[in-house]
Amino acid sequence: ILVLVDTGLYSLNVRFNNLTKLQELNIGTNNIQSMALPPFMIHFEDFNLLDLHANNISILKVSDTNILQQMKGNLTLILSRNPILHIEPGAFQNMYLRELNIRNAFASLDAQRDGLKALSGLNVGKLVIGNYIENSMLKTSDGDLNGLCLINFEEIDSLCAGWSASELQCIVNATKISIERGNVRAIENVPFQGVKELRIVANYVPVLLKLSHLETLETLVVIQTNYIHIVGISDMPRLQHIDLSQNRVHITDCCENYFKRMPNIRSLNLSNNGNMYLSNNPITGLSSLEVLDLHQTILGGFSAQFELFKKLWNLKYLDISYTEFMFRSTMSFGSLNRLKVLKMAGNHFQGDALSYLFENLTSVEYIDISNCEIDSITWRTFKDLPRLQQLLLNQNRLMVLDFVTHPHLKDLRLLEVHTNNIGSIPLNILQNLPKNLTVLDLSFNPIDCSCSQINFILWITSHQQIFPQKNNILCKSQSLGSRHKTIDFDVESCVHIRRFTIVTSICAVVLLVLASFLAYRFQFYLRYGYILLKGYRTSRQQEWSYDAFVIYSSKDECWVIDELVENLENGIPPIHLCLHVRDFEAGKAITSNIIDEGIMGSRKIIVVISKHFTDSSWCRFEFEVAQSWLVTQGNPNIIIIILEDVEEEKTKKVFGLHKHLKKNTYLKWSSNPINNMRFWIRLRKAVIT
């Protein structure tokens, strides 16, 4: 390729004869006045493109094209944006070009009209004509393009050129026709012979479209016109692709009256139009249809039937986005079992219609239901979509994503839920997301950036590679500001708080266990502590019922009755003893009888120590409560009697007994009569004092 653009050249007499393998020569935007090629280029067998755009070529002579005539091969010649005034007749006679571009190549409409006629006898694969911009100074008139009838071309590409009915007759032999920004008023009964593709784009005037019996037509595109009036399109057995989008057309009873006897249509685009009223069985007769695009066209007329588009068994792509359609629970796409792509954003769902809409769509791989005001999705919604790979749920009101964990969504790779109301995703949901998920868009959701959601935030931070817009995953927190990125959240502070919480919780549990143990161990003291304190306040104001309360084991009762009671109660003066307190006042707790009648109702407490005493739980309890009571009294009113020797280890079993014996005097019973006399004198004195 040799490029000599904008180099100030005035001719093609440039020394490059050694470039025998040259294929393309771009010498545009210079001052070249003649397109005559140097003779040595005859030997450039691979040469296939000569670009002379935007030069100063005004006259094309027969001699200028001699070298081109002798060069064999598919050559593309670009003469656009030259001020051509005259083409000598015969200059292109019997010449074959792969492509000729003469767009904006004539100085005037007259020059263009005469120039096209001078191209008589030219054979060209593709002819590019017209103007790059509409020139209001060059008003076309009927017959300006009649010279095209003298040129043999397979394909024509026209831009900003007028086309009258007679001029259209000059292109009936073309196989591919593209007319953009023209003034075509009607395509009606034009005898196209072998046309395979017909494109009319951005026509300036309304178009009447009536096409039929075009046996060779495969693609029909009429888009971006002011208005299109479809009279009928029928009887074209090879037609596969129809695009009538962006025309503001209104269609009623679609579409059985518009597309008749065309069994091979593969794609139909009616998007970006006006209102379209669908019949009860829309798109009938198009059983081969694979692509149907109706987005941005208001749909109406559907009855509350069960299956939508039920006769389109081969449909693979369906776009009904922003059609202002209301889906009811009685509707579904049940018969579209070959559908792969379903776009239905910007519509509405009545009640639980979404839960049943996708039944039996076992081949669907892509679904877009964005901007549908969806606030929740049930578990069963996607149960019939085992091949779903891409799911778009943007601009809805979703707060939870539990439906994503459905086992039938195991092949899901892309999930977009940006601009919803998702504040957090529980850890159990995150752990059960589809294993193949590689793209997750959570941007512009009100993420709860607090320590309570630390697991979710840590998950986002550790999976940044799956978020295409990770910088737009923002926190909704007044303390951090509305534009704070979730990935910038201070996780360490939450870790410290969590550690402190764990330590505090452990300490609280330990204290609770300890308090429970102590409460159980000293349950009697806790239960009767209030009574003892109350008794302390009132004991000085009341008379005692007994001189002494006797704490003893029931196994020592014989000694207590025969010796202790006999000598104290029958002596002078008599000493009243409190015995059998556990049997007082029926229906009252034993512990209450012990405290109320025995300990608090007696001036002194006599404790009879024996081997049986240390083994008795009641004796231990009575002794321990007596100690607590006497502590509140502030004086030593316990009199210890050692009935028999007890091992030191056993005395330690009774709380406070061993210590009491070490610090206080006690009386010891003996079978010696002389010693016993002294025992009773000392005991009586201790009780009376």
Side-chain angles (χ1 to χ4, degrees), residues 22 101 132 278 508 570 610 616 633:
L22 185 66
N101 188 334
Y132 287 108
L278 303 173
N570 295 330
S610 68
S616 172
Q633 291 288 73

Side-chain angles (χ1 to χ4, degrees), residues 200-219:
I200 299 177
V201 180
N203 203 60
Y204 288 121
V205 295
V207 180
L208 185 146
L209 195 62
K210 184 178 180 181
L211 296 173
S212 64
H213 299 94
L214 298 182
E215 300 290 336
T216 58
L217 188 63
E218 298 175 357
T219 300

